[in-house]
Amino acid sequence: MNWGVVVLLFVVTSAAWGQQMRKDPKILFVILVRNKAHTLPLFLTYLTQLEYPKDRVSLWIRSDHNADASLEIVEEWLKDARSWYHSIHYSSNVSEAMRPEEVSPTHWPLERFRDVIAMKEEALRVGREIWADYVFFLDADTFLTNPLTLKKLVNLGLPIVAPMLISDGLYSNYWCGMTEEYYYERTEEYKKILNREIIGVFSVPMVHSAVLIDLNHPDSDLLTFDKDLLNFHLESLNSPHRYNGPVDDIIIFAMSAKYSGIPMRISNEVSFGYIMVPLEHDEDIVRDVDQLQNVRVMIWNDLEVLDVLPNLQKYITFPEKDRLTLSQIFMVNLKRRPERRLKMEGNFRELGLDVEYFEAIDGRSIDDDFLNEWAINFLPGYADPYHKRQMTMGEVGCFLSHLTIWQRIVKENLQEVLILEDDIRFEPFFRERLLNLLQEARQLSTWDLIYIGRKRLNESAEPWVEGSQYLVYPSYSYWTLGYLISNQGAKKLIKAGPLEKLLPVDEFLPIMFDKHPNEVWKSAFNPRNLIAMSAAPLLLYPTHYTGEEGYIFRHRGLPSDPPDIRRGVPRCSTEE
């Protein structure tokens, strides 16, 4: 027997077995809760769904000065959670809703910062005392929708790392620049990371809200949230640095990392989740609830699911549905696309929209007999400007779907109607913004049609409607994603006799408000007197672009659309 081979096999097998049996690092989660009853059901659901061995996780939860049901929700969740995790350290302060120095729950006086710093400092100490490998600081208004978040962060093996989280605007949980006064400084790299124009793990001067710290790093004992303790460490090490900045937990921690030579990093390698934008001191908690609606809509659109733990569902409420002061809201959808209808119904539930489902006319069912029955004649000489082809039956079905709704508007004497397609993403604060736009439009001028989602094809300046903050006169535009139409506007479109000289609906509309560049096509329709306007900025965008599988574009207030997406979206969601 070759004992050398036997020994080698034993060593290799033992190493492989040891690798398999190696336990996952121990992690202490640190969670501070205050007036987060609206975010907690979703936050705790995603926390529970993290795919990491719960027997290797301890929780350190503190809650104070609540004026809502935060404590009730946490304690309801803990009924089950206590049996899941290795240990739970939970305490709360129920004596008062606000500190004496506070003028509102969103006010941050010095004493509040000091209390938060003391709690975070205690959590760091507890993590070291229980020999945790990592401490994970996690705000209760973050939503880690990727269940592999924790595993991915741990596997990076970095001393301080955060998962990049997106919001309903440009806000995220990292800075790319910091001023000499220790405050935020916008940089070009920030947007590139946020929009994932560059993908990877990046060194940054600040991460916050969801931060994983490796306590086994040799210099991790120098990390602190306490200003005095930081300067004590610096003095003990004979460092030339001294911190003289604001009493702010995340800034002090970032500087303690910098002075200790410990890099902070942000990862955008995958989609990790979402974050709420902090309220200003003069904003009410109600604004946070509205913002949560934006985030929930984003999650629903991106993930097509928005589950909450069964015992927390009783804390979820949806707005009462209405029609936004309109006569009716229609959503156009092909019967064979039930997944789109389901997705839109989720949006309507989140936004509180009372919407009537309109079954689109399917181009696949259109043949010569159908065309004859509708007495349809195509516009002579029409050819798609980009594909140089005649109208498709999908485009015919799309036009007829919209025309049928216009006919209903006239027949039922509906005064103002919103028509939506089924492949749209609502912009943040959609309800509020549309109501403001409607109020302004009714006061300023007569209107026939108002785009709330479109693609501009002409880069020339679009004049503002006189006296308006929200409306412009549109140039040549594509898409019928969403638009408001008046009774008078529907009559004008029908009177033009479009079935006698049919062309795609998003070519027809610019012709009718006399902004189409093709003079020959325009000459077939008279009068071209449709009074058209457009929301500025737009209130919705397409959820996807054909040819870009899995790609979802979020506007997030950025000044430009993705390049040349004109061809990338069907003229109408019912064309397919």
Side-chain angles (χ1 to χ4, degrees):
M1 181 179 292
N2 188 334
W3 288 103
V5 173
V6 172
V7 171
L8 179 60
L9 286 172
F10 174 78
V11 171
V12 171
T13 303
S14 298
W17 180 81
Q19 186 71 24
Q20 292 175 357
M21 295 301 293
R22 183 176 298 164
K23 293 182 178 180
D24 292 282
K26 295 180 293 184
I27 302 179
L28 176 68
F29 278 58
V30 177
I31 302 165
L32 305 184
V33 176
R34 184 182 182 191
N35 292 323
K36 293 298 178 184
H38 51 298
T39 68
L40 279 170
L42 206 57
F43 167 79
L44 294 171
T45 295
Y46 289 126
L47 177 66
T48 303
Q49 292 175 356
L50 287 175
E51 293 182 12
Y52 195 88
K54 288 182 171 53
D55 62 348
R56 304 295 291 171
V57 173
S58 293
L59 301 180
W60 193 93
I61 304 173
R62 295 291 183 270
S63 185
D64 68 276
H65 299 90
N66 291 286
D68 64 7
S70 291
L71 296 182
E72 179 184 342
I73 295 172
V74 170
E75 288 163 10
E76 177 67 32
W77 179 73
L78 286 175
K79 290 177 183 178
D80 293 328
R82 290 189 187 280
S83 64
W84 301 336
Y85 296 94
H86 178 269
S87 62
I88 293 178
H89 313 261
Y90 168 66
S91 69
S92 60
N93 178 347
V94 297
S95 61
E96 51 190 4
M98 289 194 298
R99 296 172 177 83
E101 301 86 352
E102 293 175 343
V103 297
S104 74
T106 59
H107 182 213
W108 277 83
L110 181 61
E111 194 59 34
R112 182 172 180 180
F113 275 108
R114 285 175 173 163
D115 286 350
V116 168
I117 286 169
M119 286 187 282
K120 288 188 173 183
E121 198 64 28
E122 182 187 353
L124 265 184
R125 177 183 57 78
V126 170
R128 290 162 180 150
E129 288 178 352
I130 66 173
W131 298 98
D133 296 297
Y134 291 91
V135 173
F136 193 24
F137 285 90
L138 192 60
D139 287 356
D141 53 7
T142 58
F143 310 102
L144 301 180
T145 54
N146 188 332
L148 297 177
T149 295
L150 195 52
K151 284 188 174 181
K152 289 183 177 295
L153 295 181
V154 170
N155 288 339
L156 288 174
L158 297 170
I160 304 175
V161 64
M164 188 191 79
L165 305 176
I166 62 172
S167 70
D168 60 11
L170 284 172
Y171 180 80
S172 187
N173 59 317
Y174 67 97
W175 300 357
C176 278
M178 183 183 290
T179 68
E180 292 183 359
E181 292 76 29
Y182 309 101
Y183 288 113
Y184 174 78
E185 183 174 50
R186 178 66 56 83
T187 67
E188 286 302 315
E189 188 182 25
Y190 178 87
K191 287 184 180 179
K192 292 179 180 178
I193 294 173
L194 182 67
N195 296 322
R196 302 187 76 223
E197 296 172 26
I198 52 177
I199 297 175
V201 182
F202 306 94
S203 291
V204 292
M206 165 72 75
V207 289
H208 59 84
S209 299
V211 181
L212 186 70
I213 303 166
D214 182 0
L215 294 183
N216 293 318
H217 187 279
D219 293 324
S220 67
D221 287 346
L222 301 177
L223 295 173
T224 181
F225 296 91
D226 185 280
K227 179 177 182 177
D228 294 335
L229 190 55
L230 171 57
N231 283 325
F232 175 78
H233 287 325
L234 294 173
E235 187 174 354
S236 300
L237 296 171
N238 294 318
S239 169
H241 301 292
R242 292 294 182 273
Y243 178 75
N244 59 358
V247 178
D248 184 306
D249 51 303
I250 64 172
I251 296 176
I252 295 169
F253 182 80
M255 297 309 299
S256 77
K258 178 180 179 179
Y259 293 150
S260 303
I262 304 176
M264 286 185 158
R265 293 186 175 92
I266 188 78
S267 172
N268 70 350
E269 294 177 300
V270 298
S271 296
F272 288 106
Y274 304 80
I275 187 172
M276 301 272 284
V277 180
L279 294 175
E280 298 293 338
H281 68 87
D282 57 347
E283 290 182 308
D284 192 84
I285 293 292
V286 173
R287 191 63 173 175
D288 215 40
V289 175
D290 292 340
Q291 188 191 154
L292 177 64
Q293 183 183 79
N294 298 336
V295 173
R296 288 177 60 90
V297 168
M298 290 170 65
I299 295 173
W300 179 256
N301 280 323
D302 293 352
L303 305 181
E304 300 185 5
V305 64
L306 193 60
D307 292 331
V308 172
L309 292 170
N311 63 328
L312 301 184
Q313 289 178 4
K314 60 188 175 184
Y315 299 106
I316 297 293
T317 59
F318 297 101
E320 186 175 347
K321 288 187 175 181
D322 62 31
R323 296 174 183 170
L324 297 173
T325 73
L326 297 164
S327 304
Q328 188 60 277
I329 304 174
F330 292 103
M331 188 268 291
V332 183
N333 167 256
L334 286 168
K335 186 176 182 179
R336 59 182 165 85
R337 296 306 301 267
E339 75 286 354
R340 287 194 177 183
R341 179 176 177 179
L342 180 65
K343 189 171 185 176
M344 290 301 296
E345 287 174 347
N347 277 279
F348 300 150
R349 181 176 60 250
E350 297 291 340
L351 291 169
L353 299 182
D354 180 7
V355 179
E356 179 179 331
Y357 163 68
F358 180 85
E359 184 178 327
I361 296 172
D362 195 334
R364 292 183 182 180
S365 67
I366 297 177
D367 55 19
D368 288 343
D369 290 339
F370 182 98
L371 296 176
N372 290 331
E373 182 181 342
W374 278 73
I376 291 174
N377 291 298
F378 295 100
L379 180 70
Y382 170 77
D384 182 275
Y386 302 100
H387 303 290
K388 307 303 178 185
R389 54 158 174 77
Q390 293 181 335
M391 278 186 76
T392 67
M393 292 304 101
E395 290 170 344
V396 173
C398 175
F399 197 117
L400 296 182
S401 299
H402 286 267
L403 175 62
T404 304
I405 294 177
W406 303 339
Q407 291 170 339
R408 272 195 61 182
I409 291 171
V410 175
K411 181 180 179 181
E412 299 175 18
N413 198 30
L414 304 177
Q415 294 306 302
E416 297 173 338
V417 169
L418 173 60
I419 301 175
L420 301 171
E421 294 185 352
D422 65 359
D423 58 348
I424 56 175
R425 175 184 56 79
F426 295 94
E427 283 291 272
F429 303 105
F430 173 81
R431 286 183 57 92
E432 176 184 328
R433 293 171 63 186
L434 184 63
L435 288 169
N436 288 338
L437 179 150
L438 276 168
Q439 182 181 21
E440 184 179 80
R442 290 162 178 163
Q443 291 175 346
L444 289 178
S445 176
T446 300
W447 59 271
D448 296 327
L449 180 142
I450 301 176
Y451 286 105
I452 62 170
R454 65 184 171 117
K455 172 61 184 175
R456 285 179 60 180
L457 298 183
N458 189 330
E459 295 305 318
S460 61
E462 296 184 326
W464 286 90
V465 174
E466 186 176 354
S468 173
Q469 299 182 63
Y470 310 115
L471 294 165
V472 296
Y473 291 111
S475 58
Y476 179 36
S477 302
Y478 263 7
W479 304 346
T480 47
L481 302 171
Y483 59 93
L484 295 157
I485 184 168
S486 69
N487 187 278
Q488 175 180 280
K491 288 177 179 177
K492 288 181 180 180
L493 295 175
I494 295 168
K495 188 177 180 181
L499 297 186
E500 302 168 10
K501 44 217 169 184
L502 194 66
L503 76 170
V505 65
D506 60 353
E507 302 281 13
F508 175 63
L509 294 179
I511 286 175
M512 290 302 295
F513 59 81
D514 207 25
K515 291 297 182 181
H516 200 289
N518 190 309
E519 296 295 332
V520 175
W521 297 357
K522 282 201 305 184
S523 66
F525 298 90
N526 282 292
R528 299 185 295 273
N529 60 350
L530 191 75
I531 303 172
M533 302 176 185
S534 174
L538 296 170
L539 304 187
L540 50 84
Y541 288 85
T543 56
H544 69 286
Y545 300 98
T546 57
E548 299 184 64
E549 185 176 353
Y551 176 69
I552 298 173
F553 169 66
R554 295 180 188 85
H555 184 62
R556 289 200 220 101
L558 301 181
S560 61
D561 292 336
D564 196 22
I565 58 175
R566 178 166 47 194
R567 302 187 189 186
V569 183
R571 294 176 180 275
C572 172
S573 67
T574 61
E575 286 181 25
E576 303 169 356

